[in-house]
Amino acid sequence: HPRVVTEIARDFSLFADASYGYPAIQVVTNGGIQSLEDVRERIRSDETSHVHGAMVGRAAINHPCAFGNVDVDLYGDSSSRPRTRRGVLDQYIRYCDWQEEEYQQRIGSTQAESCPNKKIAGLCALRQKLVAPAFHLMVGEEGNAAYQRLLKKLVSRAQRHPSGQMLMAAMAHLPSHTLDKCCDTHKPWHVVTQEFQDTHGKSAGVGTKRAGAMQRIIY
């Protein structure tokens, strides 16, 4: 799959031409994708393009709700029901609790007694990884700043706080209308960035640093 990080990334014709010129090769594009609309444009199949797929990384991490309707929009799954942000977090918190319980059982009491510091470090790392995917779930919504601020504070004390408890505490800082909004109702990314820059200055980033393979870890 080609990935171009220069200005050429905005010229999709490069990928379309490659896919059309070499139909036996499955061309998968990534880079520069910000929304489901971008994905639909990239994977169209017509007389000029046969791109097989599109990879989405940072955009899905930074604004997960923008891709929350992928099953319906791209795969036509009519059985997929829109979920609220509250519903997503409630289900994810149960997953976090299960993951921590599995970790505790996997480590076992023997290692806990012989290497207690290693167990604590491993548990803290697990909690940070578990909290991170939900960090941007409220991007563009009322209460997001308080939600993210508290998660950053709590994740720095992961030794004391299970991941599920961190998320529950952060949820308490969100108004009900934010939590009960369906995930497929969201602000486009360009609106989110514009509002952030209007508030914090044109040179401000929107709080979505790029940090390599484990970018999802809260920074």
Side-chain angles (χ1 to χ4, degrees):
H1 68 275
R3 183 178 190 277
V4 184
V5 294
T6 64
E7 289 297 316
I8 299 177
R10 300 176 184 176
D11 182 7
F12 176 64
S13 62
L14 171 69
F15 310 107
D17 290 346
S19 67
Y20 190 77
Y22 301 93
I25 300 176
Q26 292 186 343
V27 175
V28 178
T29 177
N30 73 355
I33 296 174
Q34 296 294 340
S35 66
L36 275 178
E37 289 71 23
D38 290 342
V39 173
R40 277 194 292 268
E41 173 62 19
R42 295 289 183 96
I43 65 174
R44 74 181 192 275
S45 182
D46 54 29
E47 66 278 2
T48 63
S49 174
H50 297 296
V51 171
H52 182 72
M55 296 175 63
V56 183
R58 251 185 304 166
I61 294 168
N62 293 342
H63 197 6
C65 287
F67 298 87
N69 213 31
V70 64
D71 289 340
V72 175
D73 284 1
L74 293 187
Y75 301 107
D77 183 4
S78 58
S79 65
S80 181
R81 298 179 179 177
R83 288 180 291 179
T84 65
R85 288 162 172 79
R86 186 195 302 275
V88 170
L89 273 179
D90 284 343
Q91 185 174 357
Y92 188 65
I93 286 170
R94 291 194 293 272
Y95 172 79
C96 290
D97 293 342
W98 172 71
Q99 281 290 299
E100 289 202 29
E101 183 179 346
E102 286 284 301
Y103 176 82
Q104 299 276 13
Q105 292 177 356
R106 188 167 62 251
I107 293 299
S109 58
T110 302
Q111 183 171 341
E113 293 173 0
S114 60
C115 306
N117 292 335
K118 183 177 180 180
K119 179 182 180 181
I120 292 172
L123 185 59
C124 288
L126 174 65
R127 288 171 174 173
Q128 290 171 342
K129 291 177 182 179
L130 286 171
V131 170
F135 184 67
H136 292 300
L137 186 61
M138 307 297 167
V139 160
E141 304 300 328
E142 183 179 347
N144 176 64
Y147 170 82
Q148 291 190 339
R149 190 162 50 244
L150 183 58
L151 281 180
K152 282 185 177 181
K153 179 178 180 180
L154 292 175
V155 84
S156 67
R157 305 170 183 174
Q159 181 176 343
R160 304 182 219 169
H161 305 294
S163 52
Q165 289 185 12
M166 296 186 212
L167 291 170
M168 288 179 65
M171 282 177 68
H173 287 255
L174 293 165
S176 293
H177 61 266
T178 292
L179 285 168
D180 294 331
K181 183 180 291 187
C182 283
C183 291
D184 59 356
T185 302
H186 56 82
K187 293 179 181 179
W189 183 245
H190 71 274
V191 174
V192 173
T193 56
Q194 185 61 55
E195 289 180 349
F196 190 90
Q197 290 174 351
D198 288 345
T199 302
H200 298 86
K202 293 295 182 181
S203 62
V206 75
T208 52
K209 295 180 182 177
R210 183 179 180 187
M214 278 309 299
Q215 178 189 358
R216 292 189 301 274
I217 300 302
I218 295 176
Y219 40 82

